[in-house]
Amino acid sequence: MKIRIPTIEPRDYQVPFLKAFDAGKQYSVISWHRRAGKDVTSFNALVKRAMQSAGNYYYLFPTRAWAQRALWDNICEWAGGRKLIDLLCPPEIVRRKNNSDFFLDLINGSRIKIDGTDNLNFVGQGGSGYVLSEFSLHKEEVSGFLAPILTEGSAFVVFNGTLRGKSNHLWRLYENNKDRKDWFTQWYTLEDTKTAYWVGDGVSINPELAGKINPYDGKKFKNIQDDVDSGIISYAMARQEYLNEAVSQVENSYYGHELELLRSEGRFGNYATNGTVYTFWDLGTSDATSIVFAQINNGVATIIDYHESTGKKIEDYAVVVNSRNYNYGGHYAPHDVSKRMLFGDLVTRAKEVGIDFRRVPKTNSVLEDIEICRRSLRTLRMHTRCQDLMEHLDSYRESNSGKPVHDAHSHGADAFRTMVMAMHLNLVNPYLSPSYSINLPSSVGDAEDYAMDNWQEEDNQRPLWERFRL
């Protein structure tokens, strides 16, 4: 008896990846929108290779629970209630199926392990092939653990998922390797796959499909706007998941719409940096300190630079500020600047090294401040070197409790809010004298050398996937 693999007929747009995989591509990045069949296609490829060559193969989700829900226990009503895992890996090729540890032993000696990377169980166990599903949501160190296996052996790896903006490792892998001949990379949107259409709310994608039958499932093509109108999915989430936008419209993003306008109106560009510059801070203790550098002219801000790092002293940030060689008019910190004990008596110590802070007082409501920030984004300009800040603002969002989420993106957003509120309260003025200078401590040494040493230290702490191309 012959078993055909893949057991599910690939769709036309899935074939290029499968052909490249069969041709021996070791590295693949497939960023496809929701419901385009990323996991079905990736698992099909893995099963076929596992039957061709005996070895250990890993299909990894961000968490073990996700792996169980999405693949192991996923019941397909369209297949008469059969489980997806049994459709993709039919019993005829399975010698043993372990329902507690989620692995399949095939008749040729291969083992397929389905798991999450939250427990790092795959580390130290050499494999012949890996798929990392929804890679943008995995821990950042995962590909660093895989790098030695991939570079020293012949194991393949497939990274799949929606892009979810540019502040994640899936986007960086795609961007770093899209022109490399030894990689297969693919970025699909709804317009590429023609699997649905979206007409409404200023969107018109594949309108020609309205009322027609989808050849893949025999049903009428779906209008994504129907789900948005019903509340099943928000407009922002629909754009992220179906348009697969690299410019993230993050779910519950505070500033997503305004930043989209900023980009489309050409206010994210290269601007002169020779005027008076002000710095606006969010001071961290165990977390990040963020500094926004901006010029303010006629009530309009142009953000020209951005810095962020963690765990350093105020003397170190004095070096950062001084190394920019801007003509400073003032430095503004949030109202709780004196409570940041990592730096000791920060206000006094800052002044000793030449950073004369002015406090921006606490206001009545953070949410009211955010609305003021939204309005400022209608005129604000930003230099292209501030891509990290742009990503932080894109990803600054509301939690289920209605308050801002405190995460890696909130520090940059808080420094930005310090700037906007200082402007709103008419606090920004050039109070530093023209002879103002940073007093670098002698222990630091030359600012340029320190900056290079500091860059190297931070680079050594970056995960392997970000420092090197696999």
Side-chain angles (χ1 to χ4, degrees):
M1 180 175 61
K2 292 183 179 180
I3 300 296
R4 181 185 179 279
I5 298 174
T7 55
I8 298 176
E9 185 73 23
R11 299 176 177 183
D12 293 344
Y13 60 83
Q14 297 167 348
V15 171
F17 160 67
L18 292 173
K19 285 186 174 180
F21 184 83
D22 286 345
K25 290 288 186 182
Q26 185 178 6
Y27 307 109
S28 300
V29 177
I30 55 172
S31 180
W32 298 355
H33 64 79
R34 181 188 285 199
R35 311 302 299 171
K38 297 183 291 291
D39 283 318
V40 169
T41 308
S42 299
F43 197 78
N44 274 337
L46 181 142
V47 171
K48 182 177 180 181
R49 185 66 62 83
M51 282 299 296
Q52 292 172 332
S53 179
N56 293 314
Y57 297 84
Y58 295 85
Y59 203 100
L60 303 171
F61 289 84
T63 67
R64 180 178 173 84
W66 193 333
Q68 181 176 2
R69 180 183 69 253
L71 192 52
W72 196 266
D73 288 342
N74 189 351
I75 295 175
C76 304
E77 294 181 3
W78 50 269
R82 293 181 65 188
K83 286 188 175 181
L84 181 60
I85 189 70
D86 296 328
L87 288 172
L88 300 178
C89 202
E92 291 83 355
I93 66 171
V94 177
R95 180 174 60 83
R96 178 188 177 198
K97 181 181 180 183
N98 188 305
N99 285 304
S100 58
D101 291 330
F102 306 153
F103 68 80
L104 301 164
D105 287 337
L106 305 187
I107 57 176
N108 70 331
S110 285
R111 172 169 288 188
I112 298 175
K113 175 67 174 172
I114 298 167
D115 209 341
T117 56
D118 51 336
N119 52 30
L120 299 180
N121 284 341
F122 67 94
V123 176
Q125 302 181 31
S128 299
Y130 299 83
V131 176
L132 287 93
S133 181
E134 295 298 346
F135 184 59
S136 63
L137 301 178
H138 285 256
K139 294 178 180 178
E140 293 197 13
E141 62 264 31
V142 166
S143 56
F145 289 124
L146 282 179
I149 299 172
L150 298 172
T151 54
E152 294 171 9
S154 57
F156 71 81
V157 61
V158 177
F159 304 94
N160 77 35
T162 50
L163 288 176
R164 291 183 170 86
K166 296 181 180 178
S167 56
N168 64 73
H169 23 296
L170 179 62
W171 164 258
R172 285 189 282 268
L173 274 181
Y174 173 83
E175 194 65 13
N176 287 345
N177 299 288
K178 62 184 179 182
D179 297 321
R180 290 167 62 92
K181 293 182 179 180
D182 53 337
W183 282 68
F184 177 84
T185 59
Q186 197 170 54
W187 176 4
Y188 275 157
T189 70
L190 200 62
E191 194 169 9
D192 298 311
T193 65
K194 305 291 184 183
T195 53
Y197 68 101
W198 189 351
V199 175
D201 273 355
V203 180
S204 180
I205 297 174
N206 302 334
E208 71 279 4
L209 301 181
K212 295 183 179 179
I213 300 298
N214 187 335
Y216 297 126
D217 60 17
K219 300 178 181 179
K220 283 188 175 181
F221 283 104
K222 182 182 187 65
N223 185 5
I224 304 303
Q225 186 64 38
D226 292 339
D227 283 352
V228 174
D229 291 341
S230 69
I232 292 175
I233 189 171
S234 72
Y235 176 80
M237 180 61 79
R239 292 188 68 94
Q240 174 182 293
E241 293 296 303
Y242 287 101
L243 301 192
N244 196 18
E245 293 180 317
V247 176
S248 176
Q249 186 74 300
V250 177
E251 176 77 349
N252 295 331
S253 169
Y254 285 117
Y255 304 131
H257 177 66
E258 288 75 16
L259 291 171
E260 188 174 339
L261 291 176
L262 184 149
R263 296 184 186 94
S264 64
E265 292 173 0
R267 291 184 281 118
F268 186 55
N270 294 312
Y271 296 102
T273 59
N274 54 359
T276 301
V277 173
Y278 302 88
T279 67
F280 304 89
W281 300 57
D282 177 65
L283 293 153
T285 51
S286 60
D287 50 14
T289 288
S290 300
I291 311 171
V292 169
F293 299 76
Q295 296 175 330
I296 314 294
N297 294 300
N298 298 319
V300 176
T302 301
I303 298 175
I304 62 168
D305 214 336
Y306 178 73
H307 174 83
E308 180 179 307
S309 54
T310 303
K312 295 182 171 55
K313 296 181 179 180
I314 193 63
E315 292 88 346
D316 302 325
Y317 292 110
V319 174
V320 170
V321 171
N322 188 66
S323 66
R324 298 301 201 268
N325 293 318
Y326 295 135
N327 176 29
Y328 291 107
H331 305 288
Y332 294 85
H335 65 94
D336 60 350
V337 56
S338 59
K339 297 180 182 179
R340 298 301 174 172
M341 299 308 294
L342 174 68
F343 307 98
D345 184 357
L346 187 143
V347 176
T348 301
R349 186 63 185 136
K351 201 164 187 176
E352 288 176 356
V353 296
I355 301 179
D356 186 3
F357 278 129
R358 294 280 175 90
R359 289 184 178 88
V360 178
K362 184 177 182 180
T363 54
N364 295 327
S365 168
V366 172
L367 295 181
E368 289 179 8
D369 294 355
I370 288 173
E371 182 57 32
I372 295 170
C373 289
R374 282 196 183 107
R375 294 199 296 268
S376 77
L377 282 168
R378 297 173 187 172
T379 57
L380 180 141
R381 304 187 304 175
M382 190 181 300
H383 199 287
T384 53
R385 69 166 62 98
C386 302
Q387 181 65 50
D388 287 346
L389 176 61
M390 180 73 84
E391 292 299 327
H392 291 324
L393 295 177
D394 257 326
S395 301
Y396 187 51
R397 66 196 192 281
E398 183 181 51
S399 68
N400 293 333
S401 67
K403 297 179 180 179
V405 173
H406 181 77
D407 61 8
H409 302 294
S410 60
H411 309 295
D414 285 344
F416 169 73
R417 183 158 54 90
T418 298
M419 180 195 77
V420 172
M421 296 313 298
M423 294 173 60
H424 179 71
L425 297 172
N426 296 316
L427 301 177
V428 180
N429 62 80
Y431 62 86
L432 296 175
S433 68
S435 60
Y436 160 82
S437 65
I438 299 288
N439 302 315
L440 297 179
S442 58
S443 60
V444 171
D446 183 78
E448 185 175 336
D449 291 342
Y450 176 84
M452 179 58 68
D453 292 341
N454 190 50
W455 177 87
Q456 290 172 340
E457 176 188 348
E458 290 182 354
D459 187 65
N460 289 335
Q461 294 173 353
R462 293 161 65 199
L464 286 173
W465 57 262
E466 189 172 280
R467 282 190 274 153
F468 306 107
R469 289 174 174 169
L470 297 176

